[in-house]
Amino acid sequence: MAGEVMVVAEQVGSKVAPVTLELLGEGKKLALKLGQHLTCFVIGHNMQDAVQEVIKAGAQKVYLADHQELAEYKTLHYRRVIVDELGKWTTPPHTLLMGSTTTGRDLAPRVAAFFETGLTADTIELDIGPYEHTSGTDETKLGYFPECLYASRPSFGESLKARILGPWKDPQMATIRPGVFPKPEMLDSAPEVEVVNVACNFQGSDYRVEIKETIRELETKVDITAADVIVAGGYGLGSGEGIDLLKQLADCFENSVIGASRKIVDLSWIDYPHQVGQTGKTVRPKIYIACGISGALQHRVGMQKSDHIIAINKDPDAPIFSFADHGIVGDLYQVIPEMINQIKSKRNSENKELKNA
Amino acid sequence: MNNKDLDIYVLIKQVPDTRSKAGVNPDGTIDRAKAGKMLNPFDAYALQAALNAKKMGGPNSKVTAVTMGPPPAIDILYQALEHGADNTLMLSDRRLAASDTLATSYALCQTLEYAFKQNGRPGDLIFCGLQTTDGDTAQVGPEISERLDFTQITYCEDFSISDNEVHAKKIIEGGTQLVKAQLPSLITIANSYQKLKFKTLRGAQFVQDIKRSSKEEQAKFVEIIDLDACHAEELRCGLAGSPTIVSKTWKIGVVGGNCKMHQGKSVPDLVGEVVQGLPILEEFVKI
């Protein structure tokens, strides 16, 4: 009999991270397919509100490790409560999910190595389905497995998406990119569900790492995920000065922002908060204007769900044209000024009409 | 300072060279046999971190570069020596084929344990790149750290070592953190760390010399071992030792094809077609 679907919640300042809610939403679907409960492992300090929040998002049972040592994420302390609790279960969770954040990417591999189980990184699709293992040197692995966790992720540089599974050992683990799944509809009030208090038996060795200072940018100055229009630049800009041109185009629109490919962030032409793609943000604006971006898979996964994609590129064979809605083949240093020009003149003529009316 | 001598290890990997177009098929897939090879770009930061750490330790501190891969991966070990690494070690065995991250972390852990034993004591520091460009998982480092029971600092942007502790600045969600960790420690280096410096003259000369020397002499600096040498259980390596498999792949580089292309006309015409053809643009134009 399969175990439950468990989401390990992530928190900052006792507040549940958005990715946790997204995972609860998706985890619910997996739990339904398995005929199992969706549970949530909440770790932190003063987490009462957070517990209510995860229940509203769909958790049917909560494991709560609430301790002052857990107020901030610490690898060894968080690892301790998870491996101690799950280590004593006779039936481990079927599926164990965490966000693919700096925290999840730090914690999940430690838990996976402890349980000697599989872990799929940076997943973008989840499902439950069958798998038959018919060949291989290890005969103990042969067989038909009706309920595997399917975790799919892009394989970079190869333009492939790969489905990864491992039904031989539970928990079947995956980290999932924030922003890939929508936030679930939240219940107005939290129903009564069981909350299990988890023991926190920290060992001396858990204190080998000490946090001296945490510096959080309280407000991220740029939030590209909330923009309606994103004007994004890539290596085709040629130099960091091209960013100015993008700004001029973005300025023509309401609620607009500059986006960037990983390459130009690595080159320090623009700051990391602007980065779109696998190692940056996932965005779904109404309009995405990709300027000098080739459209490599790692960029594509971060923006392909935009409503309308306009691509400007010199190279007619650039991959971006395979999934954009409108493709302009040309020099962006000619195309963008002309675009600004036409948008402005159109606006001016409309304004005149308004005045005349 | 007054640090003890530090035994420093840096884990590096050879990956397909994605900077050039060699070996890249028209559909975007990679022909690994034809593609060039290079040091994983993320590992270059880790190598520089290891070399910097050596200067923070006592006078007999040393850096050992470790890799797992097929025989041609020896190139990146020579590269590490050219940059100033003191020693190298490679685990190479056909039985490692198709290892996932868990099996890889097991095999590398056995390799490190082998090195610790040869050296007469466990390592103090292990540096890793944040992730590889061909796997992109960032999992192997923390998995090794769990197996060796090391402290762990991921996404490290800067560090110093004093009183046998690591003081590090690391990236966290929405900010940065200063932490202090006891040795032994495994550190994954963010790509905001210092870039790898040029090869040293001495290192380049050294590599020339050992490449010309006898096999026995080469083996002193570039040691190649197999699973048996590091007492790795075969069933925990390669395909058999991997709890996950890739059950299916889809090509996704060439799907779509609904893009309305605008080309071969004057720039005002091209832009005009798009601006006129996409009424939704107007909704967001500033008035």
Side-chain angles (χ1 to χ4, degrees), chain B:
Chain B
M1 284 267 206
N2 293 328
N3 281 318
K4 62 170 185 173
D5 292 331
L6 296 172
D7 273 334
I8 302 156
Y9 294 83
V10 54
L11 303 182
I12 58 179
K13 187 183 181 190
Q14 192 179 52
V15 297
D17 186 347
T18 45
R19 295 166 305 183
S20 68
K21 291 206 167 166
V24 180
N25 298 325
D27 63 3
T29 57
I30 286 185
D31 184 340
R32 282 177 188 258
K34 281 191 200 147
K37 299 277 193 293
M38 63 175 180
L39 173 68
N40 172 35
F42 289 96
D43 295 346
Y45 298 97
L47 178 56
Q48 187 59 49
L51 296 169
N52 290 348
K54 181 182 170 179
K55 292 183 195 144
M56 300 172 193
N60 295 314
S61 298
K62 61 173 190 176
V63 173
T64 304
V66 179
T67 194
M68 164 178 147
I74 200 166
D75 285 352
I76 60 169
L77 295 182
Y78 280 121
Q79 207 178 329
L81 289 171
E82 286 172 338
H83 283 276
D86 301 285
N87 258 307
T88 65
L89 175 61
M90 172 152 92
L91 175 66
S92 194
D93 197 309
R94 300 183 73 154
R95 292 170 287 179
L96 289 163
S99 295
D100 72 357
T101 59
L102 192 82
T104 302
S105 73
Y106 170 72
L108 280 171
C109 187
Q110 292 299 114
T111 309
L112 287 161
E113 297 271 25
Y114 168 89
F116 297 168
K117 209 167 161 188
Q118 295 292 103
N119 210 23
R121 61 192 203 87
D124 299 297
L125 281 162
I126 300 170
F127 288 96
C128 305
L130 187 61
Q131 58 197 48
T132 60
T133 51
D134 65 342
D136 262 300
T137 73
Q139 289 175 179
V140 173
E143 286 182 340
I144 289 171
S145 175
E146 174 69 22
R147 291 180 186 283
L148 292 172
D149 191 25
F150 275 33
T151 59
Q152 160 180 326
I153 302 168
T154 51
Y155 294 89
C156 176
E157 290 198 290
D158 199 10
F159 69 95
S160 63
I161 297 161
S162 60
D163 300 326
N164 300 314
E165 286 177 325
V166 189
H167 297 258
K169 181 178 166 216
K170 62 166 294 193
I171 303 170
I172 55 168
E173 286 307 294
T176 53
Q177 205 167 50
L178 305 178
V179 298
K180 189 174 84 175
Q182 289 176 22
L183 297 179
S185 193
L186 181 142
I187 303 176
T188 76
I189 299 292
N191 52 349
S192 43
Y193 189 72
Q194 302 164 28
K195 287 212 158 72
L196 181 61
K197 291 181 188 149
F198 291 112
K199 297 171 189 175
T200 65
L201 216 58
R202 203 204 292 177
Q205 186 62 50
F206 180 59
V207 168
Q208 271 193 13
D209 291 346
I210 47 176
K211 278 186 175 170
R212 276 199 292 258
S213 65
S214 66
K215 286 266 178 239
E216 292 75 35
E217 196 61 25
Q218 283 181 18
K220 281 187 192 163
F221 300 100
V222 190
E223 189 182 0
I224 303 171
I225 60 170
D226 63 9
L227 292 181
D228 304 321
C230 65
H231 304 291
E233 294 167 41
E234 195 177 332
L235 279 179
R236 295 179 72 181
C237 299
L239 192 59
S242 297
T244 62
I245 56 154
V246 175
S247 72
K248 190 178 170 184
T249 58
W250 298 263
K251 279 182 192 171
I252 51 176
V254 287
V255 293
N258 292 323
C259 184
K260 195 159 190 255
M261 296 298 283
H262 308 272
Q263 57 186 321
K265 295 178 188 162
S266 72
V267 170
D269 284 351
L270 293 177
V271 172
E273 285 176 4
V274 174
V275 172
Q276 303 302 330
L278 202 54
I280 187 167
L281 270 179
E282 273 175 54
E283 283 180 38
F284 296 97
V285 169
K286 270 187 196 162
I287 298 168

Side-chain angles (χ1 to χ4, degrees), chain A residues 117-149:
Chain A
T117 195
L119 171 62
T120 304
D122 280 342
T123 304
I124 55 169
E125 278 174 31
L126 290 169
D127 204 352
I128 299 287
Y131 172 68
E132 184 163 20
H133 196 65
T134 51
S135 66
T137 49
D138 185 0
E139 284 181 12
T140 60
K141 282 189 168 177
L142 298 179
Y144 177 76
F145 303 91
E147 293 173 330
C148 312
L149 176 70

Side-chain angles (χ1 to χ4, degrees), chain A residues 220-274:
Chain A
T220 326
K221 280 158 221 136
V222 193
D223 182 10
I224 60 170
T225 61
D228 286 319
V229 181
I230 295 180
V231 180
Y235 194 55
L237 288 177
S239 81
E241 282 144 37
I243 302 289
D244 280 339
L245 188 59
L246 301 186
K247 279 184 184 149
Q248 290 171 35
L249 178 57
D251 272 345
C252 297
F253 300 102
E254 301 281 359
N255 190 19
S256 62
V257 74
I258 305 290
S261 71
R262 169 159 145 187
K263 190 149 192 180
I264 73 165
V265 172
D266 285 350
L267 288 167
S268 303
W269 292 358
I270 190 161
D271 297 337
Y272 174 74
H274 293 274

